[in-house]
Amino acid sequence: MRKRLILPLFAFLPFCVFAQKAVVEEYVVDVTCNSPTRAVQHFREVTTILNEQGASLASFVCSCSKNDKLTSFKGLVTDASGRTIKKLKESDLQKTEYSPYLAIDDYKMYLDYTPPAYPITITYEWTIDSQDNVLSFPTFYPQSDYDVSVHKAAYSLKAPKSMNIRHAMQNMGCQVSVSDISADTQLFTLDVSDLPMLKQEPYARPLHERLPLVWFAPTDFVYYGTQGSLRNWSDYGLWEYSLIKGLDTLPDAVRQELHQLTDTLKTNREKVEALYQRLGRTTRYVAVLLGIGGQKPASAADVSKSGFGDCKGLSNYMRAMLKEVGIPSNYTTISTVNQRLLPDFASVGQMNHVILQVPLPDDTLWLECTNPELPMGYVHQDIAGHDAIEVSERGGRLVRLPVYPDSTNLMHSAIAIDLTPEGAADLTIAQKYCNQQYEDHIPMMKMDEKDRQKLFQKMVHVPQAEFSGIDIREEGAKMLLSAQVKSRNYATQTGQRLFVPVCPIHQGYTVPNASAEREEDIFLSTGYLDEDEITLTIPEGYVVETRPKNVQVDESFASFSFNIKVDGNTIRVHYRLLRRSGSFPKSLYPQLTAFYRTVRNAYSQKIVIKKN
């Protein structure tokens, strides 16, 4: 699980596994494509919802636009005996155009329905007519959630033989059949039955990678008057390049400003940084997705004039500025969801974002043009290690972004604790966050003092804590944090003894239950290193009566060590926790839970000191 701002990386809420919540009795997709510019898509879904955990599956929603029109809809709700409870019609649907974007063609037709009892069966049947935007056909995905089984599902696609239709499969145990239904028309069909439910498991691959899916797309397409090919990623790149060609012209005043800003700089890297900072000062992210604007960026001149753009427009604007000062760069499409693109199945829908690649002689920079708060060239968590398509006049090229080594995603803590005979303590905390751990803590930079105080109370587990001198500084992809903490009751006093917590951070770890029936291999999406150096000074006249034992655990997925040394009134403690990203055999899951238990216990230990 990804590390969040408040909790340590190994901490997470107690994991709940529900029993089966629904059965997809019937799932049918029937597509008729009469030409490269039109496809009529008919859907039928019959779902039996077994309990309250599946209640959300009772609602209906579909995406529409001026080129994707809902032409029919009906629904039916029946109880366990087959008795009709409610009939639903198109007038029951509501329309929402709410979107985080400034302007967008898309809208949703939806119906919120709450089942009055369980089990209940809901049937939805609807038709979408798509014109002039047939980049792909509906994806076949009969399962959409955990704890849902599928009884029967079918897909059919009729298309002219003159259209070359391609498909790709994921986690699907059957094949697509192709047959001729006339001299001019071909039929693609797929039938599946009795798909078992997917169980949600801790530390498993994300759901979208586990679902059975089949994608369908035409090789050659017409999209809002443009023509392109998806024969391979190179052809896809040629089409994308045709959309940005000629959009890199800048106003003369801007061109002069760019040269004044960069002509005296010595290196291309310095010039890139100067222009990246200018991009952050003069623009903001606002998406406008109208018509082909969902794929085609606004021109550099328009972004310069308005001061806003989406990922496409801002990346193209940065590309234009770099071109003006003689630095080549490549418009690059990428997914913030899919880590891997299908190498042999080019399609537009696999990507949802655009960044900029700047191939300098000694380094390749990846610029996130939508978030100037990130340091130049920092590869953030949503794209690190992801496949991408580099777009140029030569076509598209499948590339992979770098990922930071696990040990460089560092949180280093230096903590000094001065303890009084009454159990009070003064703490000095200095922490350094690097790379992904830095990224997790960026929100702290914008917090006011009050909110930082609240956050520190959750990060530092000290009773009756009073914080002061909180300081946060940012240095590239690194954050430095320091604070003073006073606690009137840090240690628990019992007679002549004080029970002293060893570590005031890394608390709240939850250990998942071991499972002998685990289905998925272990998947750790991110790796990191937590290193803590704690110096505890105990009062004069006290000695250590009991101290924890040193710990050393090494596993393929992680390693952990705890060492403690006593030198008079000074106790030095060192923790080191390295988690390794990657996939590991599910047979190691009992070792994983045991490892977490060891870590939790080591962080929650106490030292017992006694008055002489």
Side-chain angles (χ1 to χ4, degrees), residues 407-468:
S407 60
T408 66
N409 299 320
L410 170 70
M411 181 180 79
H412 181 272
S413 302
I415 304 173
I417 306 171
D418 290 325
L419 194 67
T420 71
E422 295 75 30
D426 290 332
L427 292 82
T428 300
I429 299 176
Q431 292 183 313
K432 177 173 66 175
Y433 302 95
C434 300
N435 290 346
Q436 290 189 6
Q437 301 224 47
Y438 145 80
E439 185 182 339
D440 289 331
H441 289 76
I442 287 177
M444 294 180 65
M445 297 295 297
K446 294 183 177 180
M447 291 182 182
D448 58 24
E449 187 68 19
K450 183 179 179 180
D451 288 338
R452 285 180 180 175
Q453 290 269 357
K454 291 179 180 179
L455 182 58
F456 264 82
Q457 289 173 3
K458 296 177 181 179
M459 293 173 61
V460 181
H461 301 268
V462 175
Q464 300 178 350
E466 299 176 2
F467 295 91
S468 62

Side-chain angles (χ1 to χ4, degrees), residues 183-228:
D184 302 320
T185 307
Q186 57 188 334
L187 174 66
F188 299 81
T189 58
L190 176 66
D191 293 279
V192 299
S193 59
D194 300 325
L195 293 176
M197 69 177 187
L198 296 173
K199 294 195 302 182
Q200 190 173 6
E201 298 178 316
Y203 303 104
R205 291 179 300 158
L207 177 63
H208 70 270
E209 293 185 11
R210 298 177 60 190
L211 292 173
L213 298 168
V214 185
W215 298 274
F216 295 86
T219 298
D220 301 303
F221 62 87
V222 178
Y223 184 76
Y224 288 96
T226 69
Q227 295 185 17

Side-chain angles (χ1 to χ4, degrees), residues 155-177:
Y155 189 101
S156 68
L157 167 61
K158 303 180 189 72
K161 286 186 177 180
S162 58
M163 293 181 65
N164 183 17
I165 308 297
R166 301 165 303 118
H167 69 272
M169 310 182 80
Q170 169 185 290
N171 304 323
M172 190 66 71
C174 56
Q175 297 298 318
V176 174
S177 298

Side-chain angles (χ1 to χ4, degrees), residues 511 551-553 560-562 575 591-605:
V511 177
V551 176
Q552 179 71 47
V553 183
F560 177 75
S561 64
F562 164 75
Y575 289 97
Q591 289 94 309
L592 183 74
T593 59
F595 181 86
Y596 284 174
R597 190 175 295 109
T598 298
V599 171
R600 180 190 63 184
N601 294 341
Y603 278 135
S604 60
Q605 293 178 110

Side-chain angles (χ1 to χ4, degrees), residues 295-310:
Q295 293 295 324
K296 185 175 182 177
S299 70
D302 285 345
V303 173
S304 177
K305 181 179 179 180
S306 66
F308 62 76
D310 59 11

